[in-house]
Amino acid sequence: MTAIEGRTALVTGASSGIGAATARALAGAGANVVLASRRGDDLDIGGALARSCDIRDPGQLERLVAAAVERFGGLDIVVANAGVGAYSDFLDLDPEHLEEMVDINVKGTLYTVRATLPRLLESDAADLVVVASIAGQRGPEGEAVYAATKFAQVGFMRALDHELWHRGVRCSTLCPGGVETEFAMGRGRTPEDPDLPGFMRPEEVADAVLHALTRPRTHRMLEASLLPMAEDSLG
């Protein structure tokens, strides 16, 4: 039996990209998976609980958690992955994109944790993983607002670990660099981007999520940066 088999895991942003890859990896490792996304896609994972869920709405998250507990009896793992991005110089950024990034990346993460943490505290092997970004550690040019939201996630998790480590909840933050997905396409990123072929695959980030989750319970992985070999570390 693996460290994940039989545990119940909730993944946000689960319908595509890193979220979908993580959901499939968790299911493959024997977890009961709860999939939250705007589309409500079950990814053809047998036995999955999938719901359309806007993480900007605390009520929708609370109802999803209640459904997960009713179906599977509890909650052990949360992967807060949902996020949006838009890249441009700060003064050129569409105000709607600014609001959306703050609402989803920051508030949505806080709402996700607030809705799920009471159930994680009931688990005897709880893990909270936030998929942030290298932008939350480095602050790249042309990504000021996106970076601000990712720095917020990183800081939130650093502080939350101080609250939760002695209560048995492990807090891990993953900060990937470029990943070949549809993320931010048409919002500062295009399919013709010459850097895309050198980016990581979503499955590689999902593998890092599972690495954090399968560490022995004697320790926890606090924060990890993942960069493709084709990408500069930005200092």
Side-chain angles (χ1 to χ4, degrees):
M1 184 173 181
T2 70
I4 293 174
E5 188 173 356
R7 297 169 70 190
T8 298
L10 185 153
V11 182
T12 66
S15 63
S16 62
I18 294 170
T22 299
R24 292 189 176 103
L26 285 164
N32 306 312
V33 291
V34 182
L35 310 179
S37 67
R38 294 190 193 185
R39 294 200 290 267
D41 194 341
D42 66 6
L43 304 176
D44 294 323
I45 296 174
L49 173 63
R51 292 285 188 276
S52 175
C53 182
D54 186 340
I55 64 168
R56 293 172 292 186
D57 183 343
Q60 290 187 34
L61 285 161
E62 289 165 4
R63 288 190 289 275
L64 176 61
V65 171
V69 172
E70 182 177 2
R71 168 82 69 88
F72 299 117
L75 187 62
D76 308 291
I77 298 167
V78 172
V79 181
N81 162 78
V84 295
Y87 308 145
S88 72
D89 289 344
F90 179 60
L91 290 179
D92 296 330
L93 183 68
D94 187 325
E96 290 186 5
H97 292 165
L98 185 157
E99 296 294 334
E100 185 183 36
M101 284 188 280
V102 171
D103 285 347
I104 293 177
N105 299 353
V106 182
K107 292 181 180 178
T109 299
L110 301 180
Y111 295 158
T112 297
V113 175
R114 193 173 185 115
T116 58
L117 184 54
R119 295 301 184 176
L120 290 180
L121 287 167
E122 296 172 353
S123 171
D124 60 0
D127 281 280
L128 170 63
V129 178
V130 168
V131 180
S133 169
I134 195 67
Q137 297 175 318
R138 301 289 190 267
E141 181 181 357
E143 301 181 19
V145 174
Y146 177 68
T149 66
K150 293 298 171 173
F151 268 95
Q153 290 180 323
V154 169
F156 171 62
M157 287 292 282
R158 288 178 182 176
L160 200 60
D161 176 72
H162 292 301
E163 292 185 29
L164 298 178
W165 70 268
H166 57 91
R167 302 179 72 180
V169 180
R170 300 193 300 190
C171 296
S172 302
T173 308
L174 299 185
C175 298
V179 183
E180 190 178 7
T181 68
E182 294 300 311
F183 187 80
M185 285 296 174
R187 297 156 58 109
R189 190 173 168 190
T190 68
E192 294 77 30
D193 186 335
D195 295 328
L196 278 176
F199 281 179
M200 293 179 289
R201 306 293 182 185
E203 292 77 15
E204 293 174 310
V205 181
D207 184 62
V209 173
L210 263 66
H211 178 78
L213 296 173
T214 54
R215 295 311 84 210
R217 300 301 298 184
T218 54
H219 64 277
R220 62 200 189 277
M221 192 174 84
L222 293 177
E223 195 171 307
S225 306
L226 295 78
L227 285 176
M229 290 301 293
E231 184 175 340
D232 187 273
S233 66
L234 303 174

